[in-house]
Amino acid sequence: MGASEWEIFEGDTSRSRIKQVASGRFGVTAEYLANADEIQIKLAQGAKPGEGGELPGYKVVGKIAETRKATPGVGLISPPPHHDMYSIEDVAQLIRDLKNANPAARISVKLVARIGIGVIASGVTKGKADHLTISGMSGGTGAAKWTSIKHCGLPWEIGVAETHQTLVLNGLRDRVTVQTDGQIRTGRDVVMAALLGAEEVAMTTAPLIALGCIMMRKCHLNTCPVGVATQDPELRKKFTGQPEHLINYLFMVAEDVREIMASLGCRRFTELIGRTDLLRPSAHLKEHWK
């Protein structure tokens, strides 16, 4: 069913600079943590807030099972993160443990955009997190339940705005870097995130499409027809993505950002952070019944 080993070509590496540990299950070892530049505690995901992750048994094969320290063919189901994280103190303890495991790594905490996220973000920042990711309702993997993707969560704009303002009011903004994600695809999206208070953005859906993903929503079935989300060696041969495809896309987004920055009179991206005075509501919104 799955590849017994990953193909490592000359110049490539299997080391991921960013490791996501959720609450520390399935294959999170000292060696795993030591080989990272950033370690992210995933408290929740914007596209399915409150739900745990699941890896079906037919995808737990070969290197996947070996890396996860799991039995091949046996599904892996994580409980919802709040099963392990009852309080900010629990998060602070995990942050401390990760810093001890890898003192050089940046420790990130992923939160979901919601009303009241500012208080949570402040507590996590006081717990010595270096980085916050505010995840919006859009996006998410094709493995998430359809009802979750369509009917859960709030826009990242709400989460980023509240997080930035609350951190500023509490004198904590300079302690942490704020990132956001959730269907950020264009230069305008990047600039909007910066104006609302985010220094970084995470982009996944559009880069995946640039690499050949056709949005079949079959990630959880191990039958991806273009070889992106599958361990089947025959399907993996169908993957045609090249680094240049992704580089071209990101260059275009950067050029889009530069044009918008020029129209706003900003020389550097850092000059955009938190500049809500540059935002204007769309005219048609004034007539909207809500």
Side-chain angles (χ1 to χ4, degrees):
M1 281 294 292
S4 59
E5 60 181 27
W6 291 322
E7 305 88 348
I8 303 297
F9 300 101
E10 186 177 352
D12 285 351
T13 174
S14 59
R15 179 186 184 272
S16 298
R17 295 181 63 187
I18 302 175
K19 299 286 201 304
Q20 194 178 72
V21 302
S23 52
R25 296 172 179 270
F26 304 131
V28 178
T29 62
E31 180 184 11
Y32 180 86
L33 296 175
N35 285 286
D37 297 335
E38 179 178 311
I39 303 171
Q40 185 174 80
I41 303 167
K42 184 178 179 180
L43 286 188
Q45 180 177 314
K48 49 175 183 176
E51 298 179 15
E54 178 181 358
L55 194 63
Y58 49 78
K59 295 191 80 171
V60 185
V61 291
K63 274 286 185 182
I64 300 297
E66 181 184 325
T67 302
R68 295 277 192 163
K69 303 292 188 285
T71 304
V74 176
L76 304 177
I77 302 177
S78 297
H82 51 257
H83 177 86
D84 298 302
M85 298 294 157
Y86 286 103
S87 65
I88 294 294
E89 286 77 12
D90 290 335
V91 180
Q93 182 62 55
L94 182 54
I95 291 171
R96 179 180 174 83
D97 291 341
L98 294 177
K99 284 180 178 286
N100 287 333
N102 188 342
R106 181 170 75 165
I107 307 302
S108 172
V109 177
K110 186 173 186 177
L111 303 172
V112 163
R114 54 161 293 173
I115 304 300
I117 189 177
V119 176
I120 301 170
S122 296
V124 172
T125 302
K126 289 178 180 178
K128 302 293 193 297
D130 307 310
H131 183 268
L132 294 174
T133 295
I134 311 301
S135 185
M137 63 180 182
S138 303
T141 64
K145 294 183 178 67
W146 193 247
T147 51
S148 300
I149 291 177
K150 290 297 180 185
H151 304 294
C152 285
L154 288 175
W156 56 262
E157 291 90 338
I158 292 176
V160 170
E162 182 176 338
T163 297
H164 176 71
Q165 292 168 31
T166 307
L167 290 174
V168 170
L169 287 171
N170 286 281
L172 299 168
R173 188 61 184 86
D174 59 341
R175 292 194 194 180
V176 72
T177 300
V178 176
Q179 181 189 79
T180 190
D181 69 17
Q183 295 291 20
I184 293 175
R185 301 187 179 192
T186 66
R188 182 179 181 275
D189 294 335
V190 174
V191 172
M192 287 285 287
L195 294 177
L196 290 171
E199 290 110 312
E200 299 178 1
V201 296
M203 310 169 79
T204 308
T205 302
L208 262 181
I209 292 172
L211 290 171
C213 172
I214 55 175
M215 299 287 284
M216 285 291 289
R217 299 286 182 187
K218 296 171 73 174
C219 308
H220 60 300
L221 298 178
N222 205 33
T223 57
C224 176
V226 290
V228 175
T230 177
Q231 277 75 57
D232 189 312
E234 292 305 312
L235 290 174
R236 283 166 64 89
K237 293 176 183 177
K238 298 179 181 292
F239 180 69
T240 58
Q242 296 294 326
E244 291 75 18
H245 300 162
L246 179 56
I247 291 169
N248 286 342
Y249 166 71
L250 294 176
F251 264 110
M252 291 175 184
V253 172
E255 191 64 31
D256 196 12
V257 171
R258 290 182 66 187
E259 290 177 6
I260 297 173
M261 286 173 56
S263 69
L264 295 174
C266 294
R267 289 175 175 269
R268 295 179 178 82
F269 188 75
T270 51
E271 295 175 14
L272 295 173
I273 312 302
R275 290 289 304 278
T276 52
D277 58 294
L278 296 175
L279 292 170
R280 297 287 183 275
S282 297
H284 73 276
L285 292 178
K286 296 179 181 178
E287 309 299 327
H288 197 276
W289 63 274
K290 285 189 177 179

